[in-house]
C-alpha cells in the first residue's frame, strides 16, 4: 500500500501544481489584455474625436460656401485707370476684402494693402479702409497695368478677370467696355 499511497500523493500534488499554473497563466493573460485595452481605448477615443472635429469643420465650410455668392456686375476700361471691376456680395454672409483674390488675364493681381484701389460701395457711400464686405454691397477694384506683366496687361480686347473669395467662391468676367 505504500506504493499506492505514494502514487496517490504524487497525483494530488500534480493536480495542485497544474491547477495553480493554469490559474496563474489565466491571470497573466487577463492582465495583458487589460494593459492592451488601456493603451488602445484612449487612442481610439482620440482618433474618433479628431475625426468628429474634421467632419464638423467640413460641414461649417460647406455651410459658409452655401451662404456665399459673388456676382461680377461690370469689368470695364476707364479713362482714369486701366480697368475697374465691380463685384457684388450676393451671399448671406460677410466676406473679407483682404482674403479676396483677383486674377487678371491669368496673372495674380495684388489687392492687399492697396486701399486706394479697392473700395466698398454701399448705396451712395464709399469706404476704402474697410476689410468687411457686407452682403448687398459692391467691392470696386481699380486695376493698374503697371502692376501687371506686359503679356497680362489690359488692352480692352478679350481681357478676363476672376475674383475668388476666402472660401473658394469665384466669378469670372470678360471685359465689356472700350476706352
Amino acid at each position: 500500500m505504500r506504493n499506492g499511497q505514494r502514487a496517490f500523493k504524487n497525483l494530488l500534488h500534480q493536480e495542485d501544481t497544474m491547477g495553480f499554473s493554469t490559474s496563474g497563466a489565466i491571470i497573466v493573460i487577463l492582465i495583458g489584455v487589460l494593459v492592451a485595452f488601456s493603451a488602445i481605448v484612449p487612442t481610439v477615443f482620440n482618433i474618433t474625436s479628431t475625426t468628429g472635429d474634421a467632419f464638423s469643420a467640413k460641414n461649417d465650410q460647406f455651410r459658409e460656401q452655401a451662404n456665399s455668392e459673388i456676382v461680377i456686375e461690370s469689368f470695364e476700361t476707364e479713362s482714369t485707370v486701366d480697368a475697374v471691376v465691380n463685384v457684388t456680395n450676393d451671399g448671406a454672409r460677410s466676406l473679407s476684402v483682404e482674403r479676396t483674390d483677383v486674377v487678371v488675364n491669368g496673372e495674380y493681381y495684388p489687392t492687399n494693402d492697396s486701399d486706394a484701389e479697392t473700395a466698398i460701395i454701399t448705396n451712395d457711400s464709399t469706404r476704402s479702409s474697410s476689410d468687411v464686405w457686407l452682403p448687398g454691397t459692391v467691392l470696386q477694384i481699380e486695376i493698374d497695368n503697371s502692376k501687371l506683366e506686359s503679356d497680362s496687361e489690359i488692352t480692352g480686347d478679350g481681357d478676363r478677370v476672376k475674383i475668388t473669395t476666402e472660401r473658394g467662391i469665384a466669378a469670372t468676367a470678360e471685359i465689356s467696355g472700350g476706352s
Side-chain angles (χ1 to χ4, degrees):
M1 279 294 258
R2 292 224 183 243
N3 285 342
Q5 287 177 341
R6 242 188 240 153
F8 184 68
K9 281 184 183 180
N10 285 342
L11 185 62
L12 286 177
H13 180 66
Q14 285 177 353
E15 285 181 5
D16 287 342
T17 307
M18 192 162 70
F20 177 73
S21 29
T22 304
S23 299
I26 289 175
I27 289 173
V28 168
I29 290 172
L30 287 176
I31 290 173
V33 168
L34 290 175
V35 168
F37 275 135
S38 69
I40 291 172
V41 169
T43 303
V44 169
F45 178 75
N46 196 11
I47 290 171
T48 304
S49 174
T50 304
T51 304
D53 292 345
F55 281 124
S56 176
K58 187 174 182 178
N59 287 337
D60 289 345
Q61 183 178 3
F62 283 144
R63 186 178 335 99
E64 287 179 7
Q65 283 179 338
N67 289 330
S68 300
E69 183 179 355
I70 60 172
V71 175
I72 297 178
E73 300 295 336
S74 64
F75 176 41
E76 303 171 332
T77 57
E78 294 208 356
S79 59
T80 56
V81 293
D82 294 305
V84 174
V85 180
N86 289 314
V87 187
T88 302
N89 179 355
D90 271 354
R93 64 182 295 270
S94 297
L95 299 171
S96 169
V97 174
E98 185 177 319
R99 292 183 179 166
T100 300
D101 295 324
V102 179
V103 176
V104 178
N105 293 330
E107 181 183 339
Y108 176 77
Y109 185 79
T111 57
N112 296 345
D113 302 328
S114 56
D115 291 336
E117 295 173 353
T118 59
I120 302 292
I121 302 171
T122 309
N123 298 329
D124 292 332
S125 66
T126 302
R127 294 176 291 140
S128 60
S129 61
S130 177
D131 182 49
V132 181
W133 182 12
L134 296 172
T137 60
V138 175
L139 173 63
Q140 185 177 67
I141 304 166
E142 296 177 356
I143 299 172
D144 182 5
N145 271 341
S146 66
K147 292 187 177 183
L148 295 169
E149 293 181 14
S150 62
D151 60 341
S152 298
E153 286 183 353
I154 295 175
T155 62
D157 183 30
D159 296 304
R160 294 184 59 81
V161 68
K162 182 174 186 173
I163 311 292
T164 307
T165 66
E166 58 198 277
R167 289 292 181 193
I169 305 302
T172 304
E174 194 167 314
I175 198 98
S176 61
S179 8

